[in-house]
Amino acid sequence: MLGDFTLTLPTRVHFGPHALDALPEELSHYGKRVLLAYGGHSAKASGLYDRVIAALAEAGKEVFECPGITANPTFTKVLEEARLIRENDIDLVLAVGGGSVIDASKDASALAWQEGTYDELWARFYTHGEQVAPEDRVTPVGCILTIPATGSEMNRSGVTTNEKTHEKLEMVGDEVRTIPQFALLDPTLTLTLPRYQMVSGCYDILCHCMEQYFSGDDDNLSDYLAEGVMRAIIHAARVAVADPENYEARSNIMWCATWGLNGVIGIGKDQDWQLHDLGQSISAFTGAAHGMTLSALTMAYYRHVLPAGLHRFARFAANVWDIPRDGKTDEELAAAGLAELEAWMREIGCVMSISELGVTEDMIEDIAAVTPLEKSGYHAFTTEEFVEVLRESL
Ligand code: NZQ
Ligand code: ZN
């Protein structure tokens, strides 16, 4: 049952093989000084960097650069980007990359105008979840997405690693100014992705849907929408793994990523996100690809949640995996759904154990200790139970 909600989705999305044609028009809305933020080598290797530089030159922009934003960006790097924004009085941050580059840029665009040390800013905006005040300055961000996964291109969250404490937490911006003002989504840019990253992204997309879907027991449009996105990503990932050049599949993956976490399928939902909390802690300790941390934990995690969310897991089996009831009890149907999920994960090449991501037994207590505790979803985990999930996922 839906209660009161307000939905603002201010990002202008340009989608398709010609999405970058919209860049000049988008650039015309901002001043001369543009900070181009990107990752390691992929944007240069694909030729995207040169295309963007040419478009910026054509538009008469003065270009500053923030290269080297790694996967699972550190807070040190975010503050470096923030300093570049402030010292150069940047008019627009253009983030070219995946969730890591876009997240870092969104956080930096707000933090650039806040006073405080590393520890003070971390405590305020990540540990305590403070949001920028309406009167505080925020530098606008636009993005060109190169890996479909996080939905960062159309949401206001930015996830950052505190390399001192090994916490990996989100900063939630405001829904109008720290969300990307425009997002260019060209699925052909994803063709250069290594399979591992593509699969990691596909699993992240499915997991975002599940984190929102596995909560509540009311009748809610959001759950029907989530089922549709889940069916689409399951199918498209299969096709893209078998045929990586398949544009249809790649384009569906990209649009699924945006819909998985632009807020719409979570409307009116309590939502879970504890699986993400734990997966993010693994990345903080190991640097592992985000989606693969989620896949490696999923089966053990859902075994713990299942008893409390039995009806929803049975619905998941029927509506997402098309498993007929055929006289099955809810327990049998739910178990069959999770078995299908596991088979699909293995089929597309998800990592299924945290040892493969570099987690060893002696790290488990520390990983659990930095993972925030939330009362969300069907089952609220304790730190001790996170330890169990981690051990069961080794
Ligand atoms: O650094 P480069 O050389 O660009 O390589 C990147 C990176 O190593 C590579 N890559 C990206 N596009 C490519 C490409 N390689 C070849 N061809 C391309 N077209 O892929 C690697 C991973 O990139 P990254 O941006 O880290 O991936 P993703 O989009 O999965 O982002 C993960 C980050 O987003 C956070 C995660 O925690 C993690 O830090 N998340 C953000 C969320 C949000 N804003 O709402 C929610 C998510 O749940 C998630 O927590
Ligand atoms: Zn995620």
Side-chain angles (χ1 to χ4, degrees):
M1 166 179 38
L2 287 167
D4 300 328
F5 68 84
T6 302
L7 176 66
T8 308
L9 287 177
T11 309
R12 279 183 305 281
V13 175
H14 303 272
F15 191 95
H18 303 107
L20 264 63
D21 292 353
L23 186 56
E25 157 66 14
E26 288 295 348
L27 290 174
S28 72
H29 300 302
Y30 305 93
K32 261 180 92 72
R33 302 164 76 83
V34 176
L35 180 69
L36 178 60
Y38 52 97
H41 60 275
S42 78
K44 285 194 174 162
S46 69
L48 176 59
Y49 171 87
D50 289 336
R51 285 173 72 187
V52 173
I53 287 286
L56 289 166
E58 181 71 20
K61 302 294 182 185
E62 187 177 352
V63 180
F64 301 80
E65 296 198 24
C66 181
I69 300 174
T70 59
N72 305 307
T74 62
F75 196 42
T76 298
K77 188 69 186 179
V78 170
L79 293 181
E80 180 191 317
E81 186 173 356
R83 204 165 45 247
L84 286 170
I85 294 169
R86 185 172 177 143
E87 286 175 2
N88 297 300
D89 198 16
I90 291 297
D91 295 309
L92 171 74
V93 180
L94 183 57
V96 176
S100 295
V101 175
I102 303 171
D103 280 11
S105 299
K106 287 190 289 190
D107 290 6
S109 74
L111 294 175
W113 309 103
Q114 299 291 329
E115 303 296 339
T117 62
Y118 181 114
D119 292 342
E120 288 162 355
L121 291 172
W122 180 267
R124 282 173 57 198
F125 290 97
Y126 295 85
T127 310
H128 299 300
E130 185 179 327
Q131 295 188 4
V132 282
E135 64 275 16
D136 288 348
R137 184 168 171 186
V138 172
T139 300
V141 176
C143 67
I144 301 176
L145 183 67
T146 62
I147 166 170
T150 64
S152 185
E153 64 277 12
M154 203 183 188
N155 71 38
R156 56 189 175 135
S157 137
V159 185
T160 303
T161 302
N162 181 322
E163 59 277 60
K164 298 183 191 175
T165 61
H166 285 106
E167 293 165 285
K168 187 173 187 216
L169 300 177
E170 128 188 273
M171 172 174 163
V172 180
D174 73 48
E175 64 197 3
V176 177
R177 295 179 306 151
T178 51
I179 199 168
Q181 302 299 298
F182 63 88
L184 308 186
L185 274 51
D186 173 357
T188 66
L189 294 177
T190 70
L191 292 171
T192 52
L193 275 173
R195 173 172 297 202
Y196 189 89
Q197 291 295 345
M198 182 188 79
V199 169
S200 176
C202 288
Y203 192 71
D204 191 25
I205 297 166
L206 184 72
C207 194
H208 293 158
C209 298
M210 295 193 297
E211 294 268 39
Q212 292 164 95
Y213 183 74
F214 287 119
S215 64
D217 55 10
D218 54 336
D219 190 37
N220 186 332
L221 170 65
S222 297
D223 292 319
Y224 298 92
L225 294 174
E227 285 166 353
V229 181
M230 287 192 274
R231 293 176 68 94
I233 187 62
I234 289 163
H235 176 69
R238 273 193 174 123
V239 174
V241 163
D243 176 12
E245 301 293 317
N246 189 305
Y247 175 80
E248 190 170 51
R250 295 292 195 145
S251 64
N252 279 316
I253 292 171
M254 198 165 218
W255 199 217
C256 282
T258 307
W259 276 84
L261 202 47
N262 67 4
V264 175
I265 65 167
I267 288 173
K269 301 279 303 174
D270 165 39
Q271 311 186 18
D272 188 343
W273 299 111
Q274 296 168 98
L275 175 51
H276 262 69
D277 291 337
L278 194 55
Q280 286 170 190
S281 298
I282 290 181
S283 290
F285 277 80
T286 63
H290 170 65
M292 295 306 195
T293 67
L294 306 172
S295 62
L297 292 167
T298 288
M299 297 319 293
Y301 179 85
Y302 281 137
R303 276 196 295 274
H304 285 250
V305 179
L306 182 62
L310 193 57
H311 290 300
R312 182 52 55 94
F313 282 93
R315 174 173 164 174
F316 176 68
N319 292 1
V320 177
W321 299 99
D322 289 333
I323 300 172
R325 169 134 334 234
D326 285 345
K328 293 183 193 66
T329 61
D330 269 1
E331 283 82 357
E332 290 164 344
L333 190 54
L338 288 180
E340 281 292 315
L341 169 65
E342 183 173 2
W344 173 80
M345 289 161 75
R346 292 187 188 282
E347 177 189 336
I348 65 167
C350 287
V351 172
M352 301 300 284
S353 95
I354 58 174
S355 330
E356 267 185 69
L357 302 174
V359 178
T360 48
E361 172 71 42
D362 58 310
M363 295 160 73
I364 282 181
E365 304 260 347
D366 292 337
I367 292 172
V370 297
T371 305
L373 299 178
E374 305 192 46
K375 292 215 176 327
S376 60
Y378 291 121
H379 174 75
F381 281 77
T382 60
T383 301
E384 294 68 37
E385 211 176 350
F386 277 146
V387 168
E388 287 172 29
V389 170
L390 288 163
R391 289 223 166 92
E392 290 157 18
S393 305
L394 272 173

